[in-house]
Amino acid sequence: MRVQRMFLPAVLLIWSIVVFIPFYLVVTMSLKSPIDLQLSPLSWPSSLQFANYWKAWTQANLGHSFMNSILITATSVILIVILSSMAAYPLARRTEKWSAMLYVYFLAGIMVPFQLAMIPLYKLLKALHLIGEYAGAIMIYSAMGISFAVFLYVSFFKTVPREIEESAQIDGCGPFRLFWVILFPLIKPISSTVVIINSLFIWNDFFIPMLFLQNKAMRNVPLSLFTFTSEYSNNWMLIFAAVVIGSLPLILLFILLQKHFIQGIASGAVKG
Amino acid sequence: MKRIGFDGVFLMPAFIIFTLFLVFPVISSFYYSMTDWNGLDSTMEFIGLDNFQRMFQDKAVWSGLKNTFIIALLVTVFQNVIGLLLALGLQGTGRINRVMRVWFLFPALLSPLAIGYIWSYMYNPLFGVINSILEFIGLSDWTQDWLGDKKLAIYSVIFANIWQWVAFSMIIYVAGLQSIPRDMYEASNIDGAGALSRFKHITFPLIAPAFTVNMVVTMIVGLKLFDILFVMTNGGPGGATENLALMLYRQAFGMNQMGYANAIAILMFVIILIFSLIQVTLLRRREVEY
């Protein structure tokens, strides 16, 4: 009995440490001097080298890629929210056969691995002159995000009572005003889930920028980090300083929104 | 009539972007897999099923397939076991539980690229943290070249991946656990059930929907793992961590074999499809209503 009662707390304790060590390593490494590297990797830096951060910021050109990341992430996420919520509304409300078929059409996208679309996308973007353009990556992220967002919005719209719409219509409210003024504020919980999940993926992604935004001026934060590390392959202090800088925006966002974040993942996954 | 007009305006933008940038590429990938396109020339020749024939004769594809399965299996098993244990420990609504859940989620916020760098350093044989810890606690014999050893490398990468994502599984299990009505446990307490039998007969059957989601998602993620392999080992040492996703990337953008790479992509897709369908059918059968 005692063994049973100790088992779960022991697992929690061990996993807390397993999560802690790499974070401790990143932060202390990013503050070390080259001489400190000779010491044990877990030792505290003998003097705190905040200059590493400044070097990483300037040499990895992070200011510029921050702007790119913000632009790409924000535009894609806004598009996903607007397009998916609008599309989900008729899909949730119409009972005709076409609506069910279209719904399945959108859902099928969840199953598809990106690798299957990757090579034709390369050719398509080349033909549309969208390689090395923000718009190319934004369109790909939007297309990838729509499926899951439509799925979440449709299930949520179905829980919104029709009476709200009917009474608005009687008051002479047109469909666009009805959607934006009345319904859109109601679906905020799902919108925050969609925003968080997609921001997380798009901000951290380096694969799509690597294929389609190679141009130095267009790089996002992870891709800058990637190219930076091949130039400074053994300068771990600078690499980890850049890792910290690149991760901070999402960590801050997460701390602000963690309640929504956790609820969002939970409701998105289990209610489906 | 008017209603259809408005529906069209609401649906069209999403439909066009989704079709043009996802559905159309996916469908045309089947065509490209039957061509010899090299990605550079604008011309390509239709060569039927030659790419698929070549694929099944390619020894590298078979070893990549084996690695793909090893990764998917271990990620699925361990991410669910650890995730469920963490969730069982932290299912309460108290403050400590919430803080710990947030703490465990931190790794999931980092770019897989960052995870790759961090764990490459953790695993470094000369000055890495893991070997230092092992030496510190007197287990010097256990020190290894974690990423350089052909047998070990794949497990090292799998662990780093589980480290990053296990809290996602945990959160989904917590949601499942919290949806179990409390009176179920009270009834079992009255019947005098022990912790293990309570888990077996109440908790486990009742979190079946969360279990289904977690199993399917972790398996799919495992089958198409790319980023972290690309950063940590790039398929090495000597192909020991090469999976289908890495292989098709290399064929497409390293060797300009776009047609052949697309054939590998289709193999990957078929595998994901078959395994997801099997899992969903088997697991849905286990789900109970209450």
Side-chain angles (χ1 to χ4, degrees), chain A residues 1 4 7-8 11-13 15-23 25-26 29 37 40-42 79 83-91 94 96 98 102 105-109 111-126 128 130 136 139-140 142-144 146-147 150 175-176 179 200 204-207 210-211 221-223 225-227 229 236 239-240 243 247 250-251 254-255 258 261-262 265-267 269-270 272, chain B residues 3 6-7 9-11 13-15 17-26 28-30 32 37 39-42 44 82 85-86 88-90 98 100-114 117-122 124 127-129 132-133 159 162-163 165-166 168 171-172 175-176 179 194-196 209-210 213 220 224 226-227 230-231 245 248-249 252-253 257-259 261-262 265-266 268-269 272-273 276 284:
Chain A
M1 199 61 205
Q4 257 178 33
F7 178 63
L8 286 177
V11 172
L12 294 178
L13 181 69
W15 199 258
S16 312
I17 298 169
V18 171
V19 171
F20 175 76
I21 291 174
F23 277 103
L25 173 86
V26 175
M29 279 295 289
L37 274 185
S40 137
L42 285 172
L79 274 175
L83 300 180
S84 313
S85 63
M86 285 178 71
Y89 178 51
L91 292 178
R94 303 291 167 249
E96 292 92 334
W98 62 262
L102 254 182
Y105 178 78
F106 279 118
L107 283 200
M111 291 285 305
V112 174
F114 176 71
Q115 278 89 347
L116 198 55
M118 176 174 90
I119 290 158
L121 267 175
Y122 182 74
K123 198 166 162 65
L124 177 73
L125 260 60
K126 227 173 168 181
L128 295 173
L130 286 179
M139 287 297 125
I140 296 174
S142 306
M144 286 169 75
I146 282 174
S147 287
V150 163
F176 290 105
F179 186 80
L200 183 71
N204 280 333
D205 183 45
F206 78 105
F207 190 49
M210 186 171 72
L211 296 182
V221 173
L223 192 58
L225 199 66
F226 183 62
T227 46
T229 47
W236 288 97
I239 292 175
F240 284 139
V243 164
S247 315
L250 267 188
I251 291 185
F254 172 71
I255 291 171
Q258 42 94 5
F261 186 87
I262 290 177
I265 297 171
S267 67
V270 177
Chain B
R3 210 171 81 172
F6 283 120
D7 286 352
V9 174
F10 274 80
L11 278 162
F15 182 81
I17 290 185
F18 182 69
T19 306
L20 186 58
F21 290 97
L22 196 72
V23 178
F24 170 67
V26 162
S28 54
S29 72
F30 287 86
Y32 289 121
W37 188 42
L40 307 169
D41 304 336
S42 52
M44 59 180 87
I82 303 173
L85 287 175
L86 298 179
L88 285 169
L90 293 178
R98 278 182 318 201
M100 293 274 279
R101 292 202 292 257
V102 169
W103 171 242
F104 287 163
L105 265 167
F106 272 118
L109 305 175
L110 303 186
S111 162
L113 193 70
Y117 295 137
I118 295 170
W119 280 91
S120 297
Y121 197 82
M122 297 281 293
N124 191 298
F127 42 81
V129 177
S132 309
I133 294 177
F159 182 80
I162 292 172
W163 182 81
W165 296 118
V166 75
F168 257 99
I171 288 298
I172 294 166
S179 70
L196 269 183
V213 171
I220 293 177
K224 56 181 194 183
F226 177 82
D227 312 49
F230 180 74
V231 184
L248 88 88
Y249 169 75
F253 298 97
Q257 304 259 333
M258 295 283 192
N262 231 331
I266 286 174
M268 236 177 99
F269 172 63
I272 290 177
L273 194 68
S276 322
R284 274 278 140 84

